Every structure is written in structure tokens, then in C-alpha cells.
């Protein structure tokens, strides 16, 4: 898996990859869209891990890149409603422009849901989100908390027989991701807010720490 030790990443002008590890993209797809098939794969896998079914009401906590593609995948897979929460007004407005319902994390509604996809990794968000699940609800934890141990109110959650699945990357998602984007069922274009050259890689990787109105940065390795 690229960028996971002992394998280096892809931040270079050219690289050699075994053709058995490649999937062709249609001529109608841009390279920017293709670059976002990777995070979209995480969203697709999160929906699978949560057992999402057509007609489900879905709550996505965290309107970052993975949260937005998870919401997009949920909608493509037939979710009845998709609601995204965050504390960033910019990201919430972006989510609204993409056609999703939104809530501020610090001012949640009383709505309940069939599925929770937790993408923020913020303390307490997973537990709070699971409290909003209906009986037999399912949750997928995508966001990684900085804490080793996460508390869950089991006395409240156990009577409803909720299911929690953890998410670590994905499996067999690339053909689905390509089809969703190529068919227009998922639009990843709004996620790209900044573009950089290879020489600007450090700036690209840290832009989220400096620019609040940023979501996804794309690096063009062959541009100067």
C-alpha cells in the first residue's frame, strides 16, 4: 500500500507500477477526479462496513474530504437522507452546496438515524452519534481518535443492539468508485480547493493548518 512503511509514497514525477495493480479510467474522467477515487474508496468501504441499505437515514459526522465522499457514497447507494455535521461554517456550506442536509456539531437536532459514519475523530463524537441511532442501527468509525481508549455509553446503547464496525482503508472498491464518478452519481469536483506543484508539497500537506477554507489539495507532480 503506497505511503505505508516499508513502501514509499507517490510524491515524485514518475513511478513504475505493476499493471496488475492499475485500473483504467474512461477518457471522460479528469486526472483530478481520478485522484479523488482513493478517498472515495474509503467512503464506499465505510458504507459497506456500516451495512448501509437503500432507504436508510444516514448521519455523517465530520465534513472533511472523507466525510463528504462518505456522504456522497451513501447517497449513491440509495440513502433516503444524508445529514452532515461539523463546526466549520465553510465546510457546512460546501456540504449544503453538494445537496446534503447539515447541522452544527455544537447545536444538533433531535433527529435520529439508521446509520452513523463517524469521520471526525473528535473526542466524544462517536458516542454522541451512536446515541442518535435507532434500534438495530449501524455505525462505522472512520475518523481516528488521538486517544487510545474511547468511552461508549454501553448501558444506553446495548438495549438497541447497535452494531459498530471499524474502517481501515478499503477492499475491491476501485471499479465501483470509477463507475460512480464516471456516471455522475458522485461529484468529487467541489472537494478540490487548492492545487500545487511537486515543489510545493510541504505547503500542500500543511494547508489545513493554515487555511480554514480548505478541503482537498491536489499536487501536480509534473508541473513546475
Amino acid at each position: 500500500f503506497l505511503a505505508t512503511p516499508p513502501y514509499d509514497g507517490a510524491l515524485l514525477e514518475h513511478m513504475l507500477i505493476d499493471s496488475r495493480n492499475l485500473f483504467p479510467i474512461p477518457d471522460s474522467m479528469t486526472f483530478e477526479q481520478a485522484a479523488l477515487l482513493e478517498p472515495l474508496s474509503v467512503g464506499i468501504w465505510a458504507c459497506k462496513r456500516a451495512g448501509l441499505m437503500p432507504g436508510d437515514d444516514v448521519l455523517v459526522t465530520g465534513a472533511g474530504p472523507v466525510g463528504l465522499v462518505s456522504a456522497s457514497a451513501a447517497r449513491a447507494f440509495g440513502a433516503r437522507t444524508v445529514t452532515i455535521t461539523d463546526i466549520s461554517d465553510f465546510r457546512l456550506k460546501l456540504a449544503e452546496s453538494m445537496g446534503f442536509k447539515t447541522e452544527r456539531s455544537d447545536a444538533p437536532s433531535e433527529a435520529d438515524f439508521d446509520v452513523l459514519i463517524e469521520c471526525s475523530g473528535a473526542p466524544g463524537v462517536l458516542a454522541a452519534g451512536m446515541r442518535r441511532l435507532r434500534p438495530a442501527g449501524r455505525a462505522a468509525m472512520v475518523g481516528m481518535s488521538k486517544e487510545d481508549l474511547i468511552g461508549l455509553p454501553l448501558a444506553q446503547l446495548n438495549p438497541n443492539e447497535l452494531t459498530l464496525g471499524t474502517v481501515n482503508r478499503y477492499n475491491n472498491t476501485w471499479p465501483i468508485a470509477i463507475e460512480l464518478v464516471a456516471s455522475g452519481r458522485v461529484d468529487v469536483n467541489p472537494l478540490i480547493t487548492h492545487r500545487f506543484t511537486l515543489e510545493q508539497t510541504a505547503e500542500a500537506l500543511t494547508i489545513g493548518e493554515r487555511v480554514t477554507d480548505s478541503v482537498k489539495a491536489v499536487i501536480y507532480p509534473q508541473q513546475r
Side-chain angles (χ1 to χ4, degrees), residues 36-222:
L36 292 187
L37 295 176
E38 197 281 335
L40 176 57
S41 285
V42 178
I44 292 171
W45 192 245
C47 291
K48 289 182 176 293
R49 292 288 290 153
L52 189 146
M53 296 181 293
D56 280 340
D57 293 316
V58 179
L59 173 64
V60 178
T61 47
V66 174
L68 291 171
V69 293
S70 295
S72 297
R75 181 168 58 190
F77 290 152
R80 182 173 66 170
T81 64
V82 181
T83 301
I84 302 181
T85 67
D86 206 288
I87 58 173
S88 166
D89 290 333
F90 170 76
R91 293 190 172 188
L92 289 175
K93 288 180 180 178
L94 175 59
E96 290 175 1
S97 73
M98 295 175 67
F100 300 112
K101 296 182 178 182
T102 62
E103 295 181 4
R104 283 193 59 88
S105 303
D106 51 5
S109 71
E110 296 182 357
D112 55 8
F113 302 89
D114 302 296
V115 168
L116 164 69
I117 301 177
E118 206 301 279
C119 300
S120 72
V125 174
L126 177 62
M130 293 190 72
R131 286 192 181 97
R132 301 182 67 180
L133 289 176
R134 297 164 184 158
R138 293 91 65 201
M141 186 180 70
V142 184
M144 296 298 295
S145 173
K146 296 181 180 179
E147 302 175 1
D148 290 335
L149 300 177
I150 301 177
L152 292 176
L154 295 182
Q156 293 176 307
L157 303 181
N158 190 67
N160 284 333
E161 294 192 342
L162 305 181
T163 300
L164 172 62
T166 57
V167 176
N168 181 38
R169 299 181 183 141
Y170 40 79
N171 188 36
N172 297 325
T173 57
W174 288 94
I176 301 172
I178 292 171
E179 175 60 26
L180 289 178
V181 173
S183 66
R185 293 173 63 191
V186 168
D187 183 9
V188 294
N189 293 316
L191 276 67
I192 301 173
T193 56
H194 295 80
R195 296 165 176 83
F196 297 91
T197 65
L198 186 61
E199 294 176 347
Q200 299 171 313
T201 292
E203 183 180 353
L205 294 177
T206 59
I207 189 170
E209 303 172 359
R210 297 175 285 101
V211 181
T212 57
D213 293 356
S214 64
V215 179
K216 197 66 175 176
V218 172
I219 297 173
Y220 279 83
Q222 297 178 342

